[in-house]
Amino acid sequence: GFQQFCLYGGAAFAVIGLIALISGGVFWGLLFGGLGIGWVINHFSKKKAIKARTEAINTEYDSKLSKGIEIIKSTIAEIVDILNEFSTKDSDSAKVMDFIDQIKPGEVLQELKEDSALSAALPIWNIEPPVVAVRRKAAVVV
């Protein structure tokens, strides 16, 4: 590209300027020589700037990569902690289900009847558990 042109074109202009100086054209020699040296310096300064920017980008990439890895690790650790806590709470739900299975509706209703504070607050209702008739149909095998 243009930077490569600056290197070769600058060198060519510097040689032309040197030839012009030797042949007696001081003005043209200084003009072409200065232009050529300027282009060569431009080429090397741009090349140095590109190298510095590349190193800065690589450093920034490595920094973001390590921070990203730390974020992912901490997120996964939080997920594991939440899953462990959830499994602990989930095991407690089995205790609740066992407790609910042990409660019989008749006992609860009887306690409501016998508790004077509750029975005074409740209207006079028949709170006996309903009797449910269960009929089973014979399975028909086809």
Side-chain angles (χ1 to χ4, degrees):
F2 181 71
Q3 294 305 316
Q4 198 67 25
F5 168 75
C6 284
L7 177 64
Y8 296 124
F13 272 109
V15 169
I16 291 172
L18 182 62
I19 293 171
L21 277 174
I22 293 173
S23 66
V26 176
F27 174 74
W28 292 112
L30 290 176
L31 179 70
F32 283 118
L35 185 63
I37 291 172
W39 276 2
V40 170
I41 290 172
N42 180 32
H43 168 75
F44 286 112
S45 67
K46 295 286 183 173
K47 190 174 179 180
K48 184 178 177 181
I50 289 171
K51 185 177 179 181
R53 181 68 183 139
T54 302
E55 290 174 3
I57 289 172
N58 287 337
T59 304
E60 184 179 346
Y61 174 78
D62 291 340
S63 171
K64 286 185 179 186
L65 180 66
S66 64
K67 287 179 184 176
I69 289 172
E70 288 301 316
I71 289 171
I72 290 172
K73 283 181 179 179
S74 63
T75 303
I76 291 174
E78 286 294 322
I79 291 171
V80 168
D81 290 344
I82 289 171
L83 290 177
N84 287 338
E85 186 177 340
F86 181 75
S87 67
T88 303
K89 297 292 182 185
D90 195 38
S91 66
D92 291 344
S93 70
K95 296 175 189 175
V96 172
M97 293 305 293
D98 290 341
F99 178 72
I100 290 174
D101 288 341
Q102 292 173 2
I103 297 175
K104 295 183 177 78
E107 292 175 358
V108 173
L109 295 175
Q110 188 63 33
E111 286 181 21
L112 284 175
K113 261 185 170 180
E114 292 172 0
D115 188 0
S116 61
L118 281 176
S119 61
L122 293 174
I124 303 173
W125 290 332
N126 183 11
I127 53 175
E128 295 293 322
V131 177
V132 179
V134 178
R135 276 198 290 170
R136 297 177 187 243
K137 293 184 179 181
V140 179
V141 179
V142 180

